[in-house]
């Protein structure tokens, strides 16, 4: 077998490994994608517009915020600012994941940043911390199914929105928070994990009660980052290196 064939088989195996890891995210995000499509139509969007927003923005929570504000006829600049507030954490994600994918060609990096989501970052970071290389095929297998199902399910929600039951009554809307909690717990062995999580949670709750949504998301993230920067190295149990 040639070296090229071995490389292709390895890439194919990595891709399907990523696909398997993406399935919990696909299942957990499905109710929210369907709900987004239904809400979009209720706020005056056509099925095509709802489909295109999911395909081009791929923002999850920020799409929900944008749709609600569109329906309230809020000024465009405020809609853009609110969506930026929700998605600000992706600036931090991109800075973190950039060092993991710096060896990719530029086009692959651009695609990687586009499909970057909360679970995508967490799983890729955990792989890198285990000493494994974050390859493009694996990363694409992890992110592409989430993107495709999100877009398709958004369109289905827009078409059949009236048939979707109340997700709050069924408790389905709790699937994604549970999955995110599991991702956070996966980093519990990291230095400073507990104080950073507590600071981020406290700041987010206070911001939610005072400033309101969606600002609490970014404020909580910034609080956690600031605490990690401020705390001296010896608090993490790791000696400072020159």
């Amino acid at each position: 077998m040639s070296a090229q064939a071995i490389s292709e088989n390895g890439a194919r195996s990595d891709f399907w490994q990523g696909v398997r890891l993406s399935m919990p995210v696909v299942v957990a995000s499905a109710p929210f994608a369907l709900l987004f499509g239904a809400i979009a139509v209720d706020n005056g969007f056509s099925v095509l517009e709802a489909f295109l927003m999911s395909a081009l923005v791929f923002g999850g929570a920020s799409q929900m915020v944008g749709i609600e504000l569109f329906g309230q006829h809020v000024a465009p600049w405020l809609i853009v600012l609110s969506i930026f507030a929700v998605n600000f954490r992706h600036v931090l994600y991109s800075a973190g994941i950039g060092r993991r994918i710096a060896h990719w060609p530029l086009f692959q990096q651009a695609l990687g940043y586009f499909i970057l989501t909360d679970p995508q970052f967490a799983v890729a970071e955990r792989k890198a911390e285990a000493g494994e290389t974050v390859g493009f095929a694996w990363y694409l297998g992890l992110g592409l199914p989430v993107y495709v199902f999100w877009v398709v399910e958004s369109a289905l929600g827009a078409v059949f929105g009236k048939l979707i039951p109340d997700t709050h009554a069924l408790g389905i809307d709790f699937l994604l928070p549970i999955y995110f909690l599991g991702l956070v717990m996966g980093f519990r062995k990291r230095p400073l994990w507990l104080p950073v999580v507590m600071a981020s949670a406290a700041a987010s709750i206070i911001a939610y009660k005072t400033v309101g949504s969606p600002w609490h998301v970014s404020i909580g993230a910034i609080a956690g980052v600031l605490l990690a920067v401020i705390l001296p190295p010896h608090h993490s149990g790791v000696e400072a290196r020159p």
Side-chain angles (χ1 to χ4, degrees), residues 4-226:
Q4 182 179 357
I6 294 174
S7 177
E8 290 177 355
N9 288 337
R12 190 179 298 112
S13 175
D14 289 346
F15 176 82
W16 287 111
Q17 182 188 26
V19 170
R20 287 192 294 272
L21 290 173
S22 75
M23 288 301 104
V25 187
V26 170
V27 173
S29 61
F32 295 89
L34 294 169
L35 186 61
F36 164 75
I39 293 175
V41 171
D42 284 343
N43 281 277
F45 276 49
S46 67
V47 174
L48 178 61
E49 288 169 339
F51 170 83
L52 289 176
M53 187 173 186
S54 282
L56 299 177
V57 177
F58 188 46
S62 63
Q63 290 181 223
M64 294 287 194
V65 171
I67 285 296
E68 291 291 347
L69 294 177
F70 273 121
Q72 297 171 21
H73 304 290
V74 175
W77 69 268
L78 186 57
I79 296 175
V80 173
L81 189 62
S82 299
I83 292 176
F84 174 80
V86 175
N87 280 342
F88 178 77
R89 69 192 188 281
H90 284 273
V91 176
L92 306 177
Y93 290 161
S94 299
I97 203 70
R99 56 193 173 145
R100 312 297 191 188
I101 64 175
H103 59 285
W104 296 359
L106 189 59
F107 172 76
Q108 292 182 357
Q109 290 188 43
L111 181 58
Y113 287 125
F114 176 73
I115 62 174
L116 181 62
T117 59
D118 303 79
Q120 183 90 5
F121 170 78
V123 176
E125 187 70 12
R126 195 158 53 200
K127 181 181 179 69
E129 285 188 344
E132 302 177 38
T133 301
V134 178
F136 178 71
W138 175 87
Y139 187 97
L140 188 65
L142 179 62
L144 190 60
V146 178
Y147 172 77
V148 171
F149 276 94
W150 175 267
V151 173
V152 171
E153 288 162 353
S154 295
L156 291 175
V159 175
F160 302 107
K162 300 300 182 183
L163 303 178
I164 299 175
D166 183 3
T167 56
H168 294 281
L170 297 176
I172 298 175
D173 58 315
F174 205 59
L175 287 174
L176 205 55
I178 289 176
Y179 179 78
F180 283 148
L181 179 61
L183 290 178
V184 172
M185 293 301 294
F187 290 94
R188 63 187 180 279
K189 294 183 180 180
R190 265 192 171 192
L192 302 177
W193 176 83
L194 185 58
V196 168
V197 169
M198 291 179 65
S200 182
S204 183
I205 293 172
I206 293 171
Y208 183 78
K209 295 294 185 180
T210 54
V211 183
S213 177
W215 301 98
H216 68 291
V217 178
S218 297
I219 291 174
I222 292 171
V225 171
L226 289 177

